[in-house]
Amino acid sequence: MKRNLLLALGFVSVVITLYLIFVWVPTITEMGIVERIFYLMVPMGWLALLAFVVTFAGSVLFLVKKQDRWDFLARSSAEIGIVFTTVTLFIGAIWAKPIWGVWWTWEARLTATMILWFIYLSYFVVRSFATDEHRGAVFAAVVAIVGLVDVPIIALSTTLWRGMHPPALVFKGDIAPEMLLVMLTSVGTFTILYVFLLMLRVSVRRDEAEVQRLKELDR
Amino acid sequence: MTFWNKVIAITWKDWLSEMRTREVVSSVLVFTLLVILIFTLAFGADRELMTTVAPGILWATFAFAGVLSFSRSFVPEKEHGCLEGLMAAPISREVIYAGKGLSSLLFMLIVEAIALPAFAFFSNVPVLSPQIILVTFVTTVGFVAVGTLFSALSANTRAREMVLPVLFLPIVIPILISAIKVSELALTGEPWSNLFTWFQIIGAFDLVFLAVSYLVFDFVIVE
């Protein structure tokens, strides 16, 4: 029931966001039409991080409380997170081509996102190469914890190393109010989508575990 | 026995077995020298080009050497059933982490102490400066902090040799970047004060990961 409400809310907000991006907001900066990619890139990047934080929280709770449901949460969030991270990288490349003239450059946030993607990947590698399911879950939780602790250090070192990304306009306060409104709406919409997907995935995973348990009872 | 006595006992055990088998240091050293040889050969006799690429080569080499040496840190313990002995001993798991980490650090430093002059010799780049020696030491501590944890973890997976680099390399990228940067600046003759920020990043990484690995080590060590 809660999920259906969320779905309805998500649907409405997607329609509103699309209207805002393609009809309502004027082209503001000198980048031209390309700037509209921001309204997709910013929420994707935000969710790549948010999903990882949720994975981290789930992993810590799983290691402390030893209840499978926390692992379900962590793993489902990581699955969605790696998709968002991949999309961020692709959108980043599509944006970089007209603005910087190249598909890929070793720019700070692009580099950091790439490293994050590899950490997400190692989370799944460890799971699939573990000798049994439970051990894989514990190992993956360790990887998630180590990975999240690494994120601020990665961000710091890549920023000092390279910096040609437009500085975070939002924090400098000189972003046009229209842009900010659309960006925040878009972030909200995609966060609803994330929560919806997460709930769906966790419930599927819970059902799988239940089926597995019943099968073992039968044997 | 105090904490450190037990740690030293484990390190001493590794040292003795290394002295008898010469398994880790010699193989990692040969590998490291070969990588250096291939890189210096690939970039040829162009002195200016060599100075530009030297920091990158140096740290790519040490990162690979790290992967190789950490892959030999826990696997022999497991193969010879020694891990069960360690776990049955009346010591906490953290002692095992510290002891194995210390011996890995020792082996890595021995390899680097030979590889660094060798690199200077083959490439004609003056990498034997105090700045580069110091950054090699602190970065190796960071490698060991993460590498020992992942070595124990990957020893319990299938296809260990493949899992370890996939785990280890993305995590150490920030200190790799910093170490490359320090080496670059040191080679262009920048004063110590300009290197300070990078040393701070590596130092922070070392402290954070020694603490985190120490805390989660208990979860990765299983029979």
Side-chain angles (χ1 to χ4, degrees):
Chain A
M1 188 56 216
K2 251 192 261 165
R3 219 160 61 202
N4 287 340
L5 266 177
L6 205 61
L7 184 62
L9 181 66
F11 184 76
V12 173
S13 59
V14 165
V15 173
I16 295 175
T17 311
L18 285 175
Y19 175 79
L20 286 179
I21 293 175
F22 290 105
V23 183
W24 183 75
V25 75
T27 303
I28 291 161
T29 61
E30 67 273 22
M31 277 179 233
I33 195 79
V34 178
E35 76 176 24
R36 274 162 223 261
I37 291 180
F38 275 142
Y39 304 128
L40 186 57
M41 187 153 70
V42 172
M44 285 296 155
W46 147 252
L47 285 180
L49 267 181
L50 177 72
F52 203 68
V53 172
V54 172
T55 301
F56 167 80
S59 300
V60 171
L61 287 168
F62 173 64
L63 288 184
V64 173
K65 302 199 166 172
K66 307 194 189 322
Q67 292 162 338
D68 280 343
R69 58 192 179 124
W70 297 115
D71 179 53
F72 296 163
L73 178 72
R75 189 177 175 184
S76 309
S77 183
E79 280 171 347
I80 306 166
I82 196 172
V83 172
F84 283 136
T85 314
T86 313
V87 174
T88 310
L89 288 173
F90 275 103
I91 298 175
I94 293 171
W95 181 81
K97 184 68 184 166
I99 300 300
W100 294 331
V102 284
W103 290 111
W104 184 264
T105 165
W106 292 107
E107 180 276 327
R109 246 165 287 176
L110 221 48
T111 311
T113 312
M114 190 77 214
I115 302 171
L116 182 67
W117 189 83
F118 273 107
I119 295 176
Y120 265 124
L121 187 72
S122 62
Y123 180 85
F124 293 106
V125 167
V126 132
R127 218 177 253 278
S128 53
F129 280 100
T131 39
D132 71 71
E133 188 103 348
H134 177 73
R135 192 175 282 181
V138 173
F139 286 178
V142 168
V143 171
I145 292 169
V146 171
L148 187 91
V149 172
D150 209 21
V151 166
I153 308 179
I154 294 172
L156 183 66
S157 62
T158 50
T159 310
L160 282 173
W161 182 54
R162 291 286 145 87
M164 63 195 279
H165 200 278
L169 290 172
V170 183
F171 302 116
K172 275 197 347 200
D174 57 357
I175 182 172
E178 295 98 321
M179 274 184 100
L180 186 64
L181 176 74
V182 179
M183 202 166 289
L184 289 181
T185 316
S186 185
V187 166
T189 303
F190 275 99
T191 309
I192 294 173
L193 174 71
Y194 164 74
V195 175
F196 175 73
L197 287 175
L198 188 64
M199 285 165 81
L200 205 64
R201 200 70 190 93
V202 169
S203 95
V204 169
R205 191 138 277 146
R206 213 184 292 132
D207 293 347
E208 275 173 8
E210 183 64 12
V211 169
Q212 196 61 35
R213 195 182 65 84
L214 292 175
K215 266 188 189 164
E216 270 156 30
L217 275 184
D218 190 37
R219 219 171 278 152
Chain B
M1 284 215 287
T2 64
F3 179 84
W4 285 107
N5 282 358
K6 296 177 201 166
V7 170
I8 300 292
I10 292 180
T11 309
W12 180 243
K13 165 196 83 72
D14 276 2
W15 177 256
L16 278 184
S17 102
E18 178 59 27
M19 279 296 107
R20 281 165 201 168
T21 59
R22 295 178 204 273
E23 216 174 49
V24 181
V25 171
S26 54
S27 58
V28 174
L29 185 64
V30 172
F31 171 81
T32 309
L33 292 178
L34 279 172
V35 174
I36 288 176
L37 190 75
I38 290 171
F39 269 129
T40 44
L41 189 121
F43 288 105
D46 187 341
R47 199 115 180 248
E48 220 166 285
L49 175 69
M50 202 62 216
T51 315
T52 319
V53 296
I57 295 179
L58 193 63
W59 287 101
T61 309
F62 285 165
F64 294 148
V67 169
L68 192 65
S69 97
F70 298 133
S71 73
R72 297 308 298 171
S73 176
F74 273 88
V75 170
E77 302 273 6
K78 216 174 153 57
E79 278 167 0
H80 305 137
C82 177
L83 201 56
E84 278 82 2
L86 275 180
M87 291 177 71
I91 49 174
S92 68
R93 303 286 151 81
E94 287 77 17
V95 172
I96 304 180
Y97 172 72
K100 296 299 287 183
L102 204 59
S103 51
S104 289
L105 180 66
L106 196 64
F107 298 157
M108 277 291 287
L109 288 178
I110 293 174
V111 169
E112 288 164 347
I114 301 169
L116 208 56
F119 183 71
F121 178 77
F122 284 120
S123 65
N124 286 318
V125 178
V127 290
L128 280 172
S129 62
Q131 291 95 325
I132 294 182
I133 291 173
L134 181 65
V135 81
T136 304
F137 178 75
V138 286
T139 309
T140 308
V141 172
F143 279 2
V144 168
V146 181
T148 306
L149 175 74
F150 285 152
S151 168
L153 193 158
S154 62
N156 289 304
T157 56
R158 290 177 280 121
R160 304 156 178 157
E161 285 77 14
M162 208 211 85
V163 173
L164 181 64
V166 171
L167 292 175
F168 174 77
L169 292 174
I171 299 290
V172 298
I173 286 179
I175 48 170
L176 265 184
I177 290 177
S178 311
I180 291 172
K181 206 67 202 176
V182 168
S183 314
E184 227 172 76
L185 294 173
L187 285 177
T188 50
E190 297 274 340
W192 281 91
S193 53
N194 290 1
L195 312 179
F196 189 60
T197 324
W198 298 104
F199 273 114
Q200 271 181 318
I201 293 180
I202 305 176
F205 182 98
D206 289 2
L207 291 180
V208 165
F209 279 98
L210 281 172
V212 170
S213 308
Y214 187 85
L215 290 174
V216 297
F217 190 71
D218 196 19
F219 296 106
V220 302
I221 184 158
V222 274
E223 287 125 75

